[in-house]
Amino acid sequence: MSVPLEHDYIGLSDASSLERSSESSNISSDNASNNVFNIKATELSLGLPGFAKNSEENAAKSGPAIKNYMSGAKRGFSDVNFSGSGKGINGVFEKNQTQQLVSSSYVKPVEEEKKGPVSENGSVPPSAKVQVVGWPPIRSFRKNTMATNLSKSGYVAEANLGSGGCLYVKVSMDGAPYLRKIDLKIYHNYAELSKALEKMFSCFTLGQCTSNGIKGREGLTESNLKDLLHGSECVLTYEDKDGDWMLVGDVPWEMFIDSCKRLRIMKGSEAIGLAPRSMDKCKKRN
Amino acid sequence: MGFPEEVLEHVFSFITSHTDRNVVSLVCKSWYEIERWCRRRIFVGNCYAVSPAMMIRRFPEVRSVELKGKPHFADFNLVPDGWGGYFYPWICEMARAYPWLEEIKLKRMVVTDDNLELISKSFKNFKVLVLSSCEGFSTHGLAAIAANCRNLRELDLRESEVEDLSGHWLSHFPDSCTSLQSLNMSCLSSEVSFSALQRLIARSPNLKTLRLNRAVPLEKLSTLLRRAPQLVELGTGAYSAEIRPDVYANLTEAFSRCKEVKGLSGFWDVLPSYLPAIYSVCSRLTSLNLSYATIQSPDVTKIITQCPNLQSLSVLDYIEDTGLNALSLSCKDLRELRVFPSDPFVANANVSLTEQGLVAVSEGCSKLQSVLYFCRQMSNSALTTIAKNRPNLTCFRLCILEPRAPDYLTFEPLDVGFGAIVEHCKQLQRLSLSGLLTDRVFEYIGKWAKKLEMLSIAFAGDSDLGLHHVLSGCDSLRKLEIRDCPFGDKALLANVSKLETMRSLWMSSCSVSLGACKRLSQKMPRLNVEVIDEQGDLDSRPDNCHVEKLYIYRTVAGPRFDMPSFIRTMDQNPTYRS
């Protein structure tokens, strides 16, 4: 269950979450420049359509949705969050651009968006155009094929794109009141991933640890946290393409991110039984 | 001419172009006679321009017939169902008259299973069946072709709408059939029996073109490729599978054995991790169709930069300006570029593809002749640059997704830009316009586009003057299709004789009145003036009402009678019948 955060006109949460997210996005190596672009790119700038010249360079770096925004075209709020692309949010925020914007749980899947949800402003220019018969001139075969692609990837966008760009998966932690989303593509190995998860879920584990005999807030260090996540109290698992829950860490990283649909930090008795079973399954597969 | 007939026949056998043969037949009566007996290939660009009986009467020894049916705008759902284009009358007559027929090629026609069965049983030496954008048949009809055509060389179903009842049809190819050279089943959705497919390929040593359908899984592609290392054109099925090192290794190895592959297509559902498997063939590729591959610019770029011999590329706009820039630097032999929109029905760009990408390609690829480009913004300056860079363009089709979109920099119409295209590209044969355009662009087109044969216009122009410029100025015009333009009666009625020099004219959602259609029809008995009005009851409409859709074509076969009730041929002068 997720709590929607407050958003301003262009869909960012308030300043504090920007800071928070820029912290979390420090995990990836080439992030500093991203932050600069992001802040610039998300500056409100009203202007006539066609002052795209300057903004084009920035736009090229900062991704298509922002570009449109900066070109000053009259776009509605809803347009910034999504373009109706079947890739969902991943289509809007290209490459390694926008982790912080998306880390909020506000952005909804494409299918809903196309119906034109009402924004804070109350006005909704539809993100999808009114369709004129036979325009643009695209043959039915292509339209039908692309529609299949879009609907497929619309569903998959939540979990696994399988293509370059972003790979957002939901992360849940047993007992936490809301889920998070992370981009698996920005990590290069399991160590980076677990570090990121620790940071992300630190606020939850602080309170929860007491039942397991670990001291509260004051006593929590990074190593404790690691133990927490990798010890017998917590197990990091993922749901693969077949819908099975697997132990994170068994397969090569590339194979993992290709089959991972969502992550779950399991705790308690459930967690204890999981590990050996997952390993059996992996063995069977290989 | 003192030459004996046999000598002339022999000479004529080297003349293969349809236009040349038509010219030859006009030299004198005896040449007409000799030519008609030795003509082997017929092309009928509009199946209603001539009747099957007439064709057979004049050309008794034909081996190959090519027919086109519905107007081009049928591709975009502008032509209502039931319009026509039936193959039935043709196959009935040809089955009787051409027992030695070898080839049938149809485009935008309605073909039934019975028609296919008749083909399969009527022509002992039948070799080639190409059904391009056809409809009306099912896989049962294909089964008949497979089962009965002993010497089948080519079965190509490109983009036809087939009622896909099962994949079983492929299993009807008998074990004795070893003649297959080309198979294109990419438009089918059903899974065919893999073992049947595998055996068919294995016993077809001359198979050069194989376009699989999406249902053929990637894991099995290497099995097929190993049996057909001589392939020149390959269309893959779905290009994704579970990531498995053995599958990847097999695929890579199988591709590396295909030393003759020059063209690749297919690539539905691409998983980029599997793309490197094709790298070994890239250097030989002349044709690459990635237009169904939803892969991002870096993945596309990685491939195309390894294809220095590429002549034809189709991609989605995921390639973006950066990818097109890379294309312009790597593929110096590029002749044809097609960029399709990944998400055309949203207002905003989902990708960073602009006019700059096309400008870059026009700069870097000096042999570029043919362009189909979907984008969201364009400027007069970009168009002018493109025109000056590439005066050798023969086909320029630009589709700016938003109707009537102006030059995004200056907000002016794009008249000057398209004007530059027609002025500089003197060999331009095909042009599709889009964006904000006034009558002025048609003035330029009428003035400069002397070699233009096909023109497509949408949401453009201000008045009849625009249409008049085109009809009076474009000397080579054969096909004109117009939708949603304020063109009315005046231009049409002022250029009636022009219409007989053209194959056809389509106008929909314009301002042509019913009365003008009637007058036109009476003035020009050798034109069929067909009015389409799905709101029905043309009889009770006043003459000044605008017709929904209008299709005018020249014909020597008179009005047709296979139309539904909402299509009416305007009455011709009853005293003049051809």
Side-chain angles (χ1 to χ4, degrees), chain B residues 262-421:
Chain B
K262 292 224 171 65
L264 283 181
S265 60
F267 294 106
W268 291 284
D269 313 317
V270 175
L271 187 61
S273 321
Y274 273 108
L275 285 173
I278 68 169
Y279 287 172
S280 61
V281 302
C282 283
S283 61
R284 290 182 290 271
L285 284 184
T286 56
S287 157
L288 182 56
N289 185 347
L290 291 172
S291 66
Y292 293 104
T294 52
I295 54 178
Q296 302 300 303
S297 185
D299 291 313
V300 180
T301 305
K302 246 192 252 172
I303 300 172
I304 62 182
T305 46
Q306 297 185 59
C307 304
N309 292 311
L310 206 59
Q311 293 178 15
S312 170
L313 176 67
S314 296
V315 272
L316 286 171
D317 56 8
Y318 291 133
I319 191 174
E320 302 194 326
D321 290 341
T322 47
L324 289 174
N325 199 47
L327 178 70
S328 74
L329 298 170
S330 308
C331 302
K332 294 303 187 185
D333 210 18
L334 195 72
R335 321 276 165 103
E336 180 184 37
L337 174 67
R338 297 185 184 206
V339 180
F340 294 96
S342 50
D343 212 348
F345 300 112
V346 289
N348 299 343
N350 57 326
V351 290
S352 183
L353 179 112
T354 69
E355 81 283 6
Q356 290 309 314
L358 185 56
V359 171
V361 177
S362 76
E363 265 161 25
C365 302
S366 63
K367 297 196 190 157
L368 188 69
Q369 285 175 339
S370 174
V371 171
L372 170 61
Y373 199 76
F374 285 82
C375 61
R376 285 183 161 87
Q377 67 186 42
M378 188 48 64
S379 65
N380 283 309
S381 65
L383 282 171
T384 307
T385 305
I386 292 166
K388 289 181 172 164
N389 284 341
R390 292 276 63 78
N392 49 330
L393 284 175
T394 54
C395 169
F396 188 73
R397 294 189 283 165
L398 178 69
C399 179
I400 306 165
L401 290 173
E402 181 70 33
R404 303 193 186 91
D407 177 324
Y408 79 100
L409 296 170
T410 65
F411 300 103
E412 286 169 4
L414 290 169
D415 300 336
V416 166
F418 278 107
I421 293 279

Side-chain angles (χ1 to χ4, degrees), chain B residues 152-267:
Chain B
L152 195 67
R153 231 173 42 199
E154 188 174 334
L155 178 61
D156 186 340
L157 304 171
R158 56 180 87 153
E159 288 171 325
S160 288
E161 248 180 68
V162 184
E163 198 189 340
D164 208 325
L165 300 169
S166 86
H168 196 57
W169 67 274
L170 190 96
S171 309
H172 283 259
F173 278 107
D175 289 340
S176 53
C177 176
T178 57
S179 49
L180 208 57
Q181 292 182 17
S182 172
L183 177 63
N184 179 358
M185 46 180 245
S186 54
C187 62
L188 299 177
S189 44
S190 287
E191 200 176 338
V192 299
S193 150
F194 187 76
S195 58
L197 179 61
Q198 194 179 331
R199 281 182 282 114
L200 176 64
I201 290 169
R203 65 175 184 275
S204 305
N206 296 315
L207 191 68
K208 295 282 188 301
T209 299
L210 177 63
R211 299 202 201 274
L212 302 168
N213 65 345
R214 202 171 184 171
V216 176
L218 187 61
E219 301 93 54
K220 296 191 172 162
L221 183 59
S222 48
T223 312
L224 298 178
L225 289 182
R226 264 194 284 276
R227 281 160 181 72
Q230 77 284 1
L231 278 181
V232 176
E233 302 276 339
L234 170 70
T236 71
Y239 203 80
S240 63
E242 239 182 70
I243 299 233
R244 279 169 45 191
D246 57 321
V247 171
Y248 181 82
N250 286 341
L251 195 59
T252 307
E253 200 251 349
F255 269 111
S256 68
R257 288 201 196 178
C258 294
K259 305 279 188 213
E260 309 295 325
V261 164
K262 292 224 171 65
L264 283 181
S265 60
F267 294 106

Side-chain angles (χ1 to χ4, degrees), chain A residues 49 68 75 79 83-87 94 127-129 132-139 141-142 145 149 152 162 258, chain B residues 75-76 133 159 214 243 268-269 271-272 291-292 296 340-341 343-349 374 399 401-402 411 483:
Chain A
N68 288 331
R75 309 291 185 195
D79 292 338
S83 63
S85 148
K87 300 189 287 149
E94 297 268 329
S127 63
K129 289 157 67 89
V132 178
V133 174
W135 190 267
I138 297 170
R139 306 175 78 171
F141 182 71
R142 175 169 296 281
T145 308
N149 285 346
K152 269 187 186 173
D258 228 35
Chain B
D75 284 354
F76 317 126
S133 305
E159 288 171 325
R214 202 171 184 171
I243 299 233
W268 291 284
D269 313 317
L271 187 61
S291 66
Y292 293 104
Q296 302 300 303
F340 294 96
D343 212 348
F345 300 112
V346 289
N348 299 343
F374 285 82
C399 179
L401 290 173
E402 181 70 33
F411 300 103
R483 61 162 298 174

Side-chain angles (χ1 to χ4, degrees), chain B residues 26-43:
Chain B
L26 291 175
V27 167
C28 63
K29 266 195 161 166
S30 68
W31 277 38
Y32 177 93
E33 276 302 308
I34 296 166
E35 195 280 323
R36 79 180 186 91
W37 278 97
C38 67
R39 178 134 18 164
R40 297 284 175 262
R41 315 181 74 86
I42 300 276
F43 169 73

Side-chain angles (χ1 to χ4, degrees), chain A:
Chain A
M1 206 188 17
S2 28
V3 174
L5 303 170
E6 289 269 75
H7 287 276
D8 61 15
Y9 178 73
I10 52 170
L12 283 182
S13 43
D14 59 8
S16 58
S17 96
L18 242 188
E19 283 169 47
R20 261 212 312 273
S21 42
S22 51
E23 271 182 302
S24 59
S25 63
N26 276 332
I27 291 161
S28 67
S29 43
D30 52 343
N31 202 53
S33 46
N34 282 351
N35 276 339
V36 172
F37 288 142
N38 294 339
I39 290 167
K40 258 207 169 139
T42 56
E43 267 176 330
L44 271 177
S45 52
L46 294 175
L48 291 174
F51 88 108
K53 273 268 159 81
N54 291 341
S55 51
E56 250 188 311
E57 284 161 59
N58 290 336
K61 294 170 194 162
S62 55
I66 315 273
K67 168 197 178 57
N68 288 331
Y69 189 74
M70 287 192 66
S71 66
K74 292 170 193 165
R75 309 291 185 195
F77 164 83
S78 53
D79 292 338
V80 177
N81 275 341
F82 49 82
S83 63
S85 148
K87 300 189 287 149
I89 41 180
N90 300 310
V92 171
F93 303 106
E94 297 268 329
K95 308 193 172 45
N96 54 358
Q97 176 44 224
T98 51
Q99 191 205 1
Q100 56 279 29
L101 287 174
V102 184
S103 60
S104 74
S105 49
Y106 181 85
V107 183
K108 293 182 161 64
V110 173
E111 286 72 23
E112 288 177 60
E113 291 163 354
K114 273 197 166 147
K115 291 177 201 146
V118 180
S119 71
E120 267 78 59
N121 295 349
S123 68
V124 187
S127 63
K129 289 157 67 89
V130 171
Q131 291 190 27
V132 178
V133 174
W135 190 267
I138 297 170
R139 306 175 78 171
S140 314
F141 182 71
R142 175 169 296 281
K143 267 197 269 194
N144 296 340
T145 308
M146 296 312 290
T148 321
N149 285 346
L150 289 177
S151 67
K152 269 187 186 173
S153 57
Y155 166 74
V156 175
E158 286 260 349
N160 185 349
L161 250 193
S163 63
C166 323
L167 190 54
Y168 283 95
V169 298
K170 285 184 187 172
V171 187
S172 64
M173 181 169 191
D174 291 357
Y178 55 85
L179 281 66
R180 300 300 302 271
K181 257 195 169 164
I182 58 169
D183 177 4
L184 287 181
K185 283 267 157 98
I186 66 172
Y187 310 114
H188 303 98
N189 51 51
Y190 287 116
E192 283 182 14
L193 172 65
S194 61
K195 208 168 169 201
L197 289 175
E198 286 156 31
K199 280 204 163 125
M200 204 181 256
F201 285 91
S202 56
C203 54
F204 299 125
T205 54
L206 295 177
Q208 320 256 331
C209 299
T210 49
S211 60
N212 296 316
I214 296 175
K215 292 284 179 266
R217 206 173 280 256
E218 311 81 52
L220 200 70
T221 62
E222 209 179 81
S223 55
N224 283 355
L225 204 49
K226 257 197 207 162
D227 293 338
L228 194 68
L229 286 176
H230 297 297
S232 53
E233 291 87 5
C234 281
V235 176
L236 183 57
T237 63
Y238 71 103
E239 186 184 4
D240 72 3
K241 279 179 178 164
D242 300 332
D244 296 316
W245 286 95
M246 314 287 293
L247 185 70
V248 168
D250 285 339
V251 299
W253 176 253
E254 290 298 328
M255 201 183 273
F256 163 70
I257 60 174
D258 228 35
S259 52
C260 173
K261 276 172 58 186
R262 58 187 298 169
L263 288 162
R264 178 179 166 199
I265 304 171
M266 285 172 121
K267 294 171 70 183
S269 52
E270 261 189 86
I272 296 166
L274 183 65
R277 230 179 34 227
S278 322
M279 283 169 59
D280 280 349
K281 174 160 182 180
C282 284
K283 284 193 188 127
K284 265 190 219 155
R285 271 180 157 187
N286 299 332

Side-chain angles (χ1 to χ4, degrees), chain B residues 56 75 198 246 314 385 426 437 456 545 573:
Chain B
I56 290 166
D75 284 354
Q198 194 179 331
D246 57 321
S314 296
T385 305
K426 302 204 190 297
L437 297 164
S456 308
C545 82
N573 187 336

